[in-house]
Amino acid sequence: MTYVRDPVPGATVARNTRGRLARVVAALRNSSGTGPRFTLLIILVTASGFATLTSVLDQLSVLSEVGRPGAGLYGTQSCLYAAGFDPAGSDLGNLRATMSRPDALLKCLGDRPVGYRALIATAALLAVAALVYWWMPKARDWRRRMVPVEAVDADGTLRAELAALCERTGVRSGLRFRVDPARMTSGASAYGRTGNYAVCLHVGLLARRGTDPEGFRAVVLHELAHVHHRDVDYAYASTALWRVYVLLALLPNFAGIGWILFLALSGTDSPWWPGAAPTLLAEVFVGLLLTALLHLARADLLRRRELHADLQAVAWGAHPGSWDRSDPTGAVAPGLRRLTALLRTHPSWAERRGVLADAGRGFRVSPLEMFLTGASASLLYSALGVASSALLPETVGWSYALGATVAVVAPVLCAGLGLPLVRASGPARGYARSSVVPGLSLGCGLLVGEMTASGQYRLDVLVSQPEYLLAFLFIGAVPALWWTHGLQLALGLPRRGRRWAAAVVCALVTAAVLLTGLLWWRLGGERIAMGYGDAGEGLAAMYARMVPGHWRDYGLDLSTLTVGMPLLTPLSEVRLADATAFLMWFVPLVLLLVRGPGLRMRRTLGAGVAGGLVSWAGLAAAMYAMYLQRPATLKERAGPFLVVHAWWMIVTVLAACGLTAALVAAYSRRHWLLRALIAAQITQLMAYAGVFVLYSADGCLGPLNTVLDACQWRPHNGLAVDKGVTHLTLAGAAVGAACAALMGAGAAWAARRLRRRPATSDPPTAPAPTASPRRRSTLLITGTALALGVPALMLTVVTILQTTSSSASVVAGSSKDRAATGDKKPDRLSPGQAAKLHTWQVWSWMYHGGTLHVQQIETAWAALAHQILLLSAQQRDKNGQVWVDEKQFHGPCGTLGKRVEEAQGYFRVPDPDLQTSWSDTLGQLRLGAQKCRQATVPPKGETRKAEEQRGALFTTSLNEIAKGMRSLSTTLQDITKAATSTTTKE
């Protein structure tokens, strides 16, 4: 072989880079796409293992204390009871009770070692699974008594043919061929682990080699395709982990729950029976759902890998006629055949022949796949939430759990919907519209998983406002649609490097869109669905405190605020949502401009301008309507009227953006979601400009005036109001426009169906504009992108950097102030059981810190009393007074006050009467300690009279402290009596 020097310096490196990129592209084209789903499956089982083992360890702590006082109150349950948990109440009521003192609850939960024990147990579970995965091939060889292929190949022709097939496929290293002498079928199977693969040939297949050599080669090539795709590793790793999880975690958890229920039914006192029975049964239901979902997911993955192996075998030269075989009949009734098909790990022969006839059918994502992905995502978040709460602070644990969930689910979504487009020579026509069904299926899976594994305590079978669960349909559909539309644009770029860079950016934006939707649910949607809202009374009371005025005149406005503001405020405080809202429309805008869409792009921009004009008309109409009910005085206009006025500006901006997006999506044929977002953004920018002008020119607009009557240009007023409107609508308008676009496109599809007109098909995708003379100029593209992007980017940056907004706070308020009322449910306990529950709650309160705080206060009082005894032992002067060293009392009084403040930060006593006594006592002690500290700090240049007053204050403070300690002793006796009282059986 002759080696020739490359005449161009650096050309070798460039060719190597292109070669690596070509190999990556080829790997994506040949990939079966099951890797991300198998990874999600493995991570889900691992996270569920930690959550299940945590439950098992809690059950062991409960069972180990059976028969002792406070049995079952030494783990998580005890902390919850101490915080005021009521198993006979509702999820919302318990959420309020337990989170009224979140710091105390986090400290109580952080002191328990269950999280680290569960972490060690999970590590042991993974180690056992790794050992099972490592030894599974050898165990299979030993169990089936397999023999090497050399033992049945006397003339060596079989080995030569197998070697030739391996040479053809490129599968060479770490592969063994074995023969199963007990299997008489004409099949084969691939198994093993990384670096040690094996293909088992059945005896019947060896006999078929002589009569049907093409069929023999097809079967072997099919098994070699499994090794080539590396799905053997995923299949055996997930199988090993699942079996170990079931044996070491799931079954012990079911056994522990069953034993607890047995003890409760047999008469043993249990703090979890019967009120918290739904919680225990929910764990069983989650375990059963997890089992069903994992089985369906594994079966679907294994069927899909068989189809990909068939396609790969045919690509290597296998004859398609080898698949002309009939399925067995009579085993399953025709009515159940479709249902049982979801449980089988191998597809039918008819399905396999259909995929060979239409290769795209095997790569197309199915609704079942997306449904299982969504349900797995909800279960994964629930499991990761348990792990994060046990190992991380609550303030950051849930966000890490949500981020990790999206990081695992986003590759599944992108691979499932994107690989069919990558494999095609050009973007598949009509595929973007078909992603609506998989996206909705993803949302349905999220919804089912949320209903099963959500809730803080799982006491409620269904949330009080289940209609909000439908938001998951949009949370799943919007990122799926955005990804397919964006990837189609990316794959149409002229250069390969640009295509892949744009695809990576689109994947990241898709993950951000999915995360934004889930963040909205976790920050606001979940509470709204649980009933965390009111009919306007609480909101009116909050606004009455913030903005004095006659709020009773704005009943309708308050009702719309009550419904609308909880939907907007969660995303308005998330910086990621603002950045995502900008990228959702700006990235497609750049891609569309670079591709040169011509007239269709001009129509999109024109639609956005038309929407902006509509927004101006809406703003003017809203201002005129408010002008008709404008108060007479300037003071009244600056009160509730101004808040309501700003609220209707927000509603108008959102309505204009949503209407524009819906109409653009309904009348667009290609990339309708992206075009709707671009048009809605133009409308949004123009609406912000309209709000600025209208409020800056307040007083010069006649019937459109808001507060002022004197004509003067006041830009600071316009900026102040525009700042609040932007803060609340920057992300909400973009997300709402995406949802409106989905509904608009759905309405247009339904209208066409009602008129019996077929949906308009997408025109052929234009090839990459490599050297077209009609290509748009770079200056025009850059100018359009900058004209729209720079103002929006500036608004996004300002909003992100803006931590507080006076206008937004006036309109939005704090979500914490929107406490719900009327969530009290009928008591599910009898009087005797309710008395037992009360005893357990108070006992837990004392066990986890109540007694400790009292002891600390008594210790601080003892130190102060010691100084008082030393003072009383001193010799008095002729006036009967003694000299007091203030420094000796300042420290003990400060320590006492600190201990009282710590006790005030502890849980409320789970008894209203005892809590009142406890709170009054601590308040009296704290006031006495403050007076004592104040009296023991002599100011400079103190007069005689001031010194006498300070001495009287010192005496008064000691008397108050002594009186408070006597009250504390009485209160402690009452609490102890309530914690140790016995209850009579019914």
Side-chain angles (χ1 to χ4, degrees):
M1 182 179 292
T2 304
Y3 295 91
V4 180
R5 183 184 299 273
D6 197 328
V8 181
T12 303
V13 177
R15 280 202 303 271
N16 291 338
T17 302
R18 289 195 298 269
R20 286 193 294 268
L21 183 59
R23 287 193 293 272
V24 171
V25 175
L28 287 173
R29 290 180 182 273
N30 296 328
S31 173
S32 63
T34 56
R37 291 186 62 196
F38 270 118
T39 303
L40 172 61
L41 195 67
I42 292 173
I43 295 176
L44 174 59
V45 175
T46 304
S48 299
F50 182 94
T52 306
L53 290 172
T54 301
S55 178
V56 170
L57 292 173
D58 280 337
Q59 292 166 11
L60 291 176
S61 65
V62 171
L63 294 175
S64 63
E65 303 296 336
V66 172
R68 295 177 52 184
L73 295 177
Y74 292 93
T76 306
Q77 300 93 331
S78 186
C79 289
L80 294 178
Y81 271 112
F85 174 77
D86 182 5
S90 63
D91 281 337
L92 179 58
N94 283 300
L95 178 63
R96 285 189 184 146
T98 54
M99 294 308 295
S100 61
R101 304 288 171 85
D103 295 336
L105 181 60
L106 293 177
K107 184 179 183 302
C108 181
L109 295 175
D111 292 340
R112 61 190 183 96
V114 175
Y116 297 100
R117 295 205 309 265
L119 185 63
I120 296 173
T122 305
L125 184 145
L126 294 177
V128 174
L131 291 176
V132 172
Y133 166 73
W134 189 263
W135 290 104
M136 193 179 295
K138 293 185 178 181
R140 178 168 180 170
D141 289 343
W142 174 81
R143 187 180 69 254
R144 302 297 303 179
R145 301 186 184 278
M146 299 181 187
V147 297
V149 72
E150 292 81 3
V152 296
D153 185 23
D155 55 359
T157 57
L158 177 59
R159 282 174 291 173
E161 185 172 2
L162 294 176
L165 292 176
C166 290
E167 183 69 23
R168 181 194 302 182
T169 60
V171 180
R172 299 183 181 88
S173 60
L175 179 64
R176 299 175 294 115
F177 285 92
R178 314 282 289 178
V179 177
D180 189 349
R183 302 291 293 272
M184 304 306 296
T185 58
S186 60
S189 60
Y191 63 97
R193 52 178 170 79
T194 303
N196 185 19
Y197 298 110
V199 175
C200 172
L201 307 177
H202 300 173
V203 173
L205 182 63
L206 299 182
R208 183 182 178 185
R209 175 170 171 256
T211 59
D212 184 12
E214 287 292 342
F216 171 80
R217 284 190 288 270
V219 173
V220 175
L221 289 174
H222 174 91
E223 301 305 327
L224 292 177
H226 285 309
V227 179
H228 174 72
H229 290 157
R230 297 295 180 93
D231 54 29
V232 178
D233 300 293
Y234 288 117
Y236 272 77
S238 61
T239 299
L241 181 60
W242 172 246
R243 291 176 179 176
V244 172
Y245 166 74
V246 170
L247 291 176
L248 300 184
L250 190 61
L251 291 180
N253 186 38
F254 285 170
I257 294 174
W259 185 247
I260 291 175
L261 293 177
F262 172 76
L263 292 177
L265 293 174
S266 63
T268 304
D269 287 345
S270 171
W272 293 97
W273 185 265
T279 302
L280 298 176
L281 297 178
E283 290 193 27
V284 177
F285 188 60
V286 170
L288 294 177
L289 177 65
L290 178 64
T291 303
L293 289 177
L294 288 177
H295 182 77
L296 288 173
R298 286 187 68 252
D300 183 67
L301 283 169
L302 294 176
R303 288 195 305 271
R304 188 169 290 272
R305 76 174 190 140
E306 295 295 331
L307 299 176
H308 291 309
D310 290 340
L311 292 172
Q312 187 64 56
V314 173
W316 281 338
H319 194 278
S322 302
W323 279 262
D324 291 335
R325 304 176 64 180
S326 60
D327 296 312
T329 59
V332 181
L336 298 178
R337 188 170 300 166
R338 179 170 296 182
L339 177 63
T340 56
L342 300 178
L343 304 178
R344 293 198 301 262
T345 58
H346 280 70
S348 64
W349 288 106
E351 184 179 358
R352 299 172 83 161
R353 288 191 298 270
V355 170
L356 291 179
D358 180 13
R361 179 180 172 185
F363 295 109
R364 201 169 296 127
V365 65
S366 65
L368 175 62
E369 178 182 343
M370 287 292 101
F371 174 81
L372 296 175
T373 300
S376 300
S378 294
L379 294 175
L380 178 61
Y381 173 76
S382 178
L384 290 177
V386 174
S388 62
S389 63
L391 303 175
L392 297 173
E394 181 72 19
T395 54
V396 298
W398 72 269
S399 57
Y400 282 131
L402 191 58
T405 301
V406 173
V408 176
V409 174
V412 179
L413 174 65
C414 294
L417 297 176
L419 284 178
L421 295 180
V422 174
R423 292 189 183 94
S425 58
R429 289 181 293 169
Y431 186 79
R433 279 203 304 269
S434 66
S435 64
V436 173
V437 175
L440 293 175
S441 301
L442 176 68
C444 288
L446 289 170
L447 189 152
V448 171
E450 179 70 18
M451 289 180 60
T452 305
S454 68
Q456 297 291 329
Y457 308 106
R458 300 174 184 170
L459 294 172
D460 299 332
V461 178
L462 196 64
V463 293
S464 60
Q465 301 187 58
E467 63 274 9
Y468 284 97
L469 291 172
L470 297 177
F472 280 107
L473 299 180
F474 296 98
I475 294 175
V478 170
L481 282 166
W482 196 99
W483 163 246
T484 52
H485 288 198
L487 185 61
Q488 280 187 321
L489 292 178
L491 294 179
L493 294 178
R495 296 181 182 179
R496 178 179 297 175
R498 291 182 180 179
R499 289 198 293 269
W500 288 108
V504 171
V505 172
C506 289
L508 294 177
V509 175
T510 301
V513 173
L514 179 60
L515 180 59
T516 299
L518 295 176
L519 277 174
W520 175 86
W521 176 258
R522 298 302 167 192
L523 293 175
E526 185 176 22
R527 290 188 174 186
I528 299 172
M530 292 174 64
Y532 209 85
D534 59 14
E537 297 179 359
L539 197 61
M542 181 192 70
Y543 284 147
R545 294 192 303 268
M546 299 173 59
V547 183
H550 300 288
W551 282 99
R552 60 180 178 274
D553 299 333
Y554 302 95
L556 176 62
D557 306 289
L558 280 177
S559 63
T560 58
L561 276 168
T562 304
V563 175
M565 294 314 305
L567 302 176
L568 295 177
T569 49
L571 291 184
S572 66
E573 303 299 333
V574 179
R575 297 179 179 179
L576 174 66
D578 296 330
T580 303
F582 173 77
L583 295 174
M584 282 178 67
W585 69 269
F586 186 72
V587 171
L589 173 67
V590 174
L591 293 177
L592 283 170
L593 290 175
V594 170
R595 290 190 58 183
L599 179 61
R600 294 184 181 87
M601 190 61 203
R602 290 197 295 270
R603 289 176 178 175
T604 301
L605 299 178
V609 173
L613 296 177
V614 171
S615 70
W616 289 355
L619 291 172
M623 297 190 77
Y624 178 75
M626 293 300 299
Y627 179 82
L628 296 178
Q629 53 180 330
R630 190 173 67 152
T633 64
L634 184 63
K635 181 179 180 180
E636 291 177 334
R637 297 173 195 169
F641 174 78
L642 182 58
V643 176
V644 172
H645 202 285
W647 164 244
W648 286 114
M649 298 298 103
I650 292 173
V651 173
T652 304
V653 171
L654 295 174
C657 294
L659 179 62
T660 302
L663 292 177
V664 171
Y667 288 99
S668 296
R669 293 185 296 174
R670 299 177 59 243
H671 314 306
W672 50 266
L673 176 63
L674 305 184
R675 295 180 183 278
L677 289 173
I678 294 171
Q681 180 61 32
I682 298 174
T683 301
Q684 188 175 352
L685 293 176
M686 293 182 65
Y688 290 158
V691 171
F692 172 76
V693 171
L694 289 174
Y695 279 90
S696 298
D698 188 24
C700 306
L701 303 176
L704 301 184
N705 289 335
T706 304
V707 176
L708 304 175
D709 292 321
C711 183
Q712 184 180 351
W713 180 254
R714 301 176 180 88
H716 58 279
N717 290 347
L719 287 175
V721 177
D722 219 357
K723 191 177 181 181
V725 173
T726 304
H727 178 77
L728 284 170
T729 61
L730 185 65
V735 175
C739 298
L742 184 60
M743 291 188 291
W749 175 85
R752 287 192 295 266
R753 296 282 295 186
L754 291 176
R755 296 178 181 178
R756 299 186 181 276
R757 295 180 181 178
T760 305
S761 59
D762 290 348
T765 303
T770 53
S772 174
R774 303 179 64 180
R775 182 179 179 180
R776 283 176 174 257
S777 65
T778 305
L779 181 61
L780 180 59
I781 295 173
T782 306
T784 305
L786 291 178
L788 295 176
V790 170
L793 181 61
M794 293 178 62
L795 283 175
T796 304
V797 172
V798 170
T799 305
I800 290 176
L801 296 179
Q802 172 186 332
T803 55
T804 58
S805 175
S806 58
S807 299
S809 61
V810 168
V811 178
S814 174
S815 61
K816 295 182 180 179
D817 290 332
R818 291 190 293 271
T821 58
D823 64 311
K824 194 71 176 178
K825 292 193 171 184
D827 199 346
R828 297 192 289 253
L829 300 180
S830 64
Q833 293 168 342
K836 280 185 180 180
L837 172 63
H838 178 261
T839 300
W840 282 324
Q841 288 175 329
V842 180
W843 187 93
S844 298
W845 182 88
M846 294 187 62
Y847 176 79
H848 280 286
T851 303
L852 177 62
H853 284 297
V854 172
Q855 292 175 351
Q856 291 176 344
I857 293 175
E858 289 177 345
T859 301
W861 164 247
L864 180 60
H866 178 69
Q867 295 299 327
I868 296 175
L869 290 176
L870 294 178
L871 181 64
S872 62
Q874 292 184 11
Q875 186 176 3
R876 300 178 180 272
D877 59 11
K878 60 181 180 179
N879 296 324
Q881 298 179 346
V882 297
W883 179 80
V884 180
D885 185 4
E886 290 90 349
K887 296 180 181 179
Q888 300 296 329
F889 286 89
H890 187 76
C893 289
T895 302
L896 177 62
K898 184 178 180 180
R899 296 293 176 258
V900 172
E901 291 178 0
E902 293 174 353
Q904 288 178 325
Y906 183 57
F907 298 128
R908 298 171 60 89
V909 182
D911 185 292
D913 296 334
L914 295 178
Q915 168 60 27
T916 301
S917 177
W918 171 261
S919 178
D920 293 343
T921 300
L922 294 182
Q924 185 178 15
L925 286 173
R926 184 176 182 179
L927 181 61
Q930 290 175 348
K931 291 180 179 180
C932 179
R933 286 176 58 85
Q934 179 182 355
T936 53
V937 180
K940 294 183 179 180
E942 184 181 27
T943 62
R944 180 67 177 177
K945 182 177 181 180
E947 184 179 2
E948 292 177 354
Q949 293 176 348
R950 188 163 55 86
L953 180 63
F954 176 71
T955 304
T956 302
S957 66
L958 294 182
N959 292 332
E960 289 184 359
I961 293 175
K963 183 179 179 181
M965 290 304 301
R966 291 192 296 271
S967 177
L968 180 64
S969 178
T970 303
T971 302
L972 181 61
Q973 291 177 2
D974 296 338
I975 295 176
T976 304
K977 182 179 179 181
T980 57
S981 62
T982 58
T983 59
T984 59
K985 293 185 179 294
E986 297 182 30

